[in-house]
Amino acid sequence: MAKTGTTTQGLRAAIERSGYYPALVAEAVEAAVGGEPVASYLVHQETTFDSNEVRRHVTVLVLTRTRFIVSHTDEQAADGTSPSPYATTSTESVRLDRISSVVLSRVVANPESYTPGSLPREVVLTIGWGAVSRIDLEPAACGDPECEADHGYTGSSTADDLSLRVSEAGDGPDSVRQTLTFAQSLSEATVASTAVR
């Protein structure tokens, strides 16, 4: 793990490299982190196309010794609430012991010839801490195709607070590598935080 000063400087440099309102994003992230040392971070800038608009946003994930911090900044076009374009930045600070799941999905090409250590084509990092849950329900049924009884509903509940997709083609191999590193650091930190309880 890098030294704190280097990691903090690396976070600042990554925010500046993203080129997405770096002064605004850095101020929000630094205020949320406070004086805590930065253990690991991930800066993900994404551009999406919405009808005839190009929209950009950036997500910054920071891991400290005790917390997981999420900062998200979106830009908005001028509208009825504002005569000029504007940006909205939000930060959330989550205690590590609140994180209930860290899911990392890897997509690899030609799995039959995969060699350990090869970079996946894309990764999806999903982190749950209970702030947002999704419930998928469907009518329950029995095995009898002639049955007309009401069997109620069946479903599943999924913690889905944050999901981030990073691909080699769209974001570059360094971004995929950084996502893998951050996911591993976060997984290790959540295990350590539950062992302390």
Side-chain angles (χ1 to χ4, degrees):
M1 185 181 300
K3 294 179 182 171
T4 301
T6 305
T7 303
T8 303
Q9 291 166 359
L11 171 59
R12 180 76 132 135
I15 290 170
E16 289 174 5
R17 263 193 316 277
S18 79
Y20 185 81
Y21 307 121
L24 173 65
V25 173
E27 181 179 57
V29 170
E30 289 167 3
V33 170
E36 253 192 298
V38 173
S40 186
Y41 62 86
L42 176 64
V43 177
H44 183 253
Q45 195 264 327
E46 186 176 7
T47 302
T48 56
F49 301 93
D50 183 20
S51 298
N52 58 352
E53 290 183 280
V54 176
R55 302 184 87 136
R56 299 181 306 157
H57 53 225
V58 68
T59 302
V60 180
L61 309 180
V62 179
L63 177 63
T64 71
R65 189 178 54 78
T66 61
R67 297 178 298 146
F68 165 65
I69 297 162
V70 180
S71 177
H72 189 79
T73 303
D74 280 307
E75 65 182 357
Q76 307 291 331
D79 58 23
T81 63
S82 176
S84 59
Y86 60 97
T88 305
T89 299
S90 61
T91 56
E92 183 173 2
S93 178
V94 182
R95 286 189 338 260
L96 287 177
D97 63 359
R98 295 251 349 259
I99 295 178
S100 55
S101 66
V102 178
V103 179
L104 183 68
S105 300
R106 301 167 189 244
V107 177
V108 297
N110 304 313
E112 69 282 356
S113 60
Y114 176 79
T115 54
S118 298
L119 203 59
R121 186 173 68 195
E122 74 177 52
V123 293
V124 178
L125 175 60
T126 305
I127 304 165
W129 59 90
V132 177
S133 292
R134 183 180 72 239
I135 298 177
D136 295 320
L137 293 176
E138 61 184 42
C142 65
D144 181 1
E146 302 296 319
C147 181
E148 294 181 15
D150 182 356
H151 295 287
Y153 288 88
T154 185
S156 61
S157 175
T158 308
D160 199 12
D161 295 306
L162 174 77
S163 191
L164 198 65
R165 178 182 171 269
V166 181
S167 71
E168 186 178 26
D171 304 295
D174 285 343
S175 292
V176 173
R177 206 172 282 111
Q178 290 165 357
T179 304
L180 292 169
T181 299
F182 183 83
Q184 181 175 349
S185 297
L186 183 60
S187 291
E188 290 170 357
T190 57
V191 167
S193 76
T194 55
V196 170
R197 278 195 247 171

